[in-house]
Amino acid sequence: MADIDDVYHMLGFGRMQRIIFACCVLIQIYITNEQLGLSLIVASSACELQIDDHRMSWLMSAVFTAQILASHYMGDKADEIGRRKLILITGSLMLFTSLLSALMPDFWSFLVMRFLVGVFVTGPTVSMQTYLSEFTKFSLRPKVLNYVSYSIGLSMIYVPCIAALVKVNLPIYNAYTFSSWRLLILLNLLPGITAFIMLYRLPESPKYYLSVNEDAKAMAVLEQCCRLNKGKDVTLASLGVDSVTQPRLRGATIKRNCVARLWYESLPLLERPYFRNFFLTSAGVFVQFGVSFGLGVWMLRVRHLILQVEETETICELMRKHGHHKIELPTVSWEILNVIFPLLISPPSVLQCDLTFKNVKDSIYHGVFVLFAFILTSFLLMCIRRRTIIVIYLLTAALAGFLVNFVTNDTLILIVFLLLIVPPICSLRLTTSLLIDLIPTHLRGKAVALCLIFGRTGVLTSSLFIGYTLRQLCYVTFNGFVLAIIASAILILLLPSESKMMDNLSK
């Protein structure tokens, strides 16, 4: 009986894995399109749907609440019914509700549809990385998951470009118009439609089948993988594999109601031997989310202030002198919007419904830098371990945060801002991949989902912290983030080394 990771080592990263990789890239592009695209859609549809601050608050509160409430349940379902099945079901529902949202004639029906999109987007979000990693041998997982992350940068570049280019205003019936924001939603669906057509013909994870004692199905998937990778004449039997297994299999199923079962099946994450690693990664993700997304929004706002003030002083001095007059703290609506969709255009002082490249150029710059950082990560993974790269990125961000206290040149300020908020995005993906490797198959979906909830809480916490300290205690704001980033790096160093994971942890 062979260990499944040994079988993957024999099969390599072949045709089967490349098809699954292409599918997951499209899924990630679609997820990013939905999250980034909504901020642009809201800006473009504000006039037609009459979205004022009050309605904006309702819309973003609904989306935020949907993601928080659904994440843990989706993680549990991924472990119960399988990664592929959950992605197919929730992905199809996400496509359908997003399509309906593009057709809604008024704000309240649009609100309901976007709430449902927020619920269903959590399915692919918590399952996609796990699904791909469970078809990939241990040594390649960090590299492959990082390659998928390229799609985040690509989406962050082309979605704002499309939003600035699309200009449609086609009257349909009475006051109902097919406008640019409706077309933008439809264009954002295209990668998702392609991905889910591909996924329909792909198999379920054999590691999931082993975790639910479906050994025959696991062998069938591995046999299919073998023939695709090695040729039609090669079988598992010819490679000396007659059966497969993996350690740390699922225990007996708990027969309780849905809420109780969800609690009891998640309880092992809070016990030995998993609690320590789960806590360390979740605490690291809490900080990394807060810096990369929560702080990222405010950096764009502060940069907007700097460009308005013709003075050469440090950021904190400019905030002390001009912050009250030149920049306003976010209203409830824009703050919630920024918590969920951090890569926004700056909030307009007046209602603006026509997007131009001037409105979205900061988001495009951000996307270019993110793409470059993920490409750099790929090269670093060839010679450096994940944990080391994460620590390097976090210390780079901490140094940039420290330099915020001193830099005065506009260009240097932009560079320091990007060095502060972009490296944690890359380290975030690597930290999540560590969690996937540290947690057994039957708990993996729930662990990733709970970790993402910690991350979203980090965004909210950092946004509130900045809102209450940036003007009066500016130095406390940035240096507080520096200390938090350093603490996150220390937590990552406390995780097991990858050599120990390879020796003791089988996935």
Side-chain angles (χ1 to χ4, degrees), residues 53-68:
D53 282 347
H54 179 73
R55 289 188 169 187
M56 183 77 74
S57 177
W58 276 98
L59 177 61
M60 297 310 163
S61 295
V63 175
F64 184 74
T65 302
Q67 294 185 22
I68 288 290

Side-chain angles (χ1 to χ4, degrees), residues 119-139:
V119 170
F120 298 130
V121 75
T122 56
T125 300
V126 302
S127 299
M128 183 272 295
Q129 288 189 80
T130 303
Y131 179 68
L132 177 59
S133 70
E134 291 180 355
F135 275 94
T136 308
K137 65 179 183 179
F138 183 89
S139 60

Side-chain angles (χ1 to χ4, degrees), residues 90-130:
T90 56
S92 300
L93 292 171
M94 180 170 60
L95 285 168
F96 180 67
T97 51
S98 184
L99 173 63
L100 290 181
S101 72
L103 306 177
M104 292 298 102
D106 57 60
F107 168 76
W108 296 109
S109 57
F110 181 76
L111 170 69
V112 172
M113 289 299 105
R114 294 317 302 189
F115 175 84
L116 294 176
V117 172
V119 170
F120 298 130
V121 75
T122 56
T125 300
V126 302
S127 299
M128 183 272 295
Q129 288 189 80
T130 303

